[in-house]
Amino acid sequence: MKKLLVAATLLFAIPAASAQTARPALDYASAATIRDSCIAWAQEHGRKMAVAVMDSHGMLITYAHMDGVSYAAGDIARWKATAASRFGRSTQDLGALNPPPGMPNVATMTGGVPIYTSDGLPLGGVGTSGGRPEEDAACGTAGIEAAGLVAARPAPAPAQ
């Protein structure tokens, strides 16, 4: 009886959990689809690419590089993915803002693409390197779309 009383006391002593808004997160399966689809895009277009996929905090979820791609391409892909994931903008858009040189985690080379849900919630970013700038961006966008996600924040619905 004493154990039951202690258990009941502990149960009621624990404060009720406060409501927390759930936020979607980029899972490994989606990140892997983005990575693999981007690699497939690169193969179809005769390019050797490095691909990095990060969550919305700039933490690496998955990375791949094709045989023969330069070591620097891997570093650049991770740099682009970090910028796109942390700022929620493409690196091309970040470059248009003309940030000061050496600003931390800001890539201005085209090829970093943000990842959003269809509702416009940020999930992360993908960075690619190894092709021409427009090819890097197209590769990342193809991967995002293959995962059923969106490569740019959807425009808000007009007010009625």
Side-chain angles (χ1 to χ4, degrees):
M1 184 69 168
K2 187 175 181 179
K3 288 182 182 179
L4 183 60
L5 183 61
V6 169
T9 303
L10 288 174
L11 180 64
F12 292 109
I14 298 172
S18 62
Q20 171 64 42
T21 304
R23 295 182 185 165
L26 185 62
D27 61 19
Y28 180 79
S30 294
T33 297
I34 293 167
R35 177 201 63 214
D36 295 344
S37 298
C38 188
I39 294 293
W41 185 97
Q43 289 171 329
E44 290 171 16
H45 291 84
R47 297 290 180 233
K48 295 179 180 182
M49 306 276 253
V51 181
V53 183
M54 297 191 177
D55 67 13
S56 60
H57 302 288
M59 299 299 294
L60 183 65
I61 297 175
T62 186
Y63 168 81
H65 65 269
M66 298 170 73
D67 292 342
V69 73
S70 73
Y71 180 78
D75 286 342
I76 293 168
R78 288 188 297 274
W79 177 50
K80 291 176 181 181
T82 299
S85 67
R86 290 188 177 176
F87 294 101
R89 304 181 110 171
S90 72
T91 52
Q92 182 176 6
D93 289 348
L94 289 171
L97 295 174
N98 199 25
M103 189 170 182
N105 300 313
V106 175
T108 58
M109 297 170 62
T110 299
V113 184
I115 305 167
Y116 285 95
T117 66
S118 59
D119 296 332
L121 299 171
L123 295 176
V126 59
T128 59
S129 184
R132 292 188 308 268
E134 64 276 4
E135 291 172 327
D136 289 350
C139 180
T141 299
I144 292 167
E145 291 172 353
L149 298 168
V150 181
R153 181 177 297 192
Q160 295 184 16

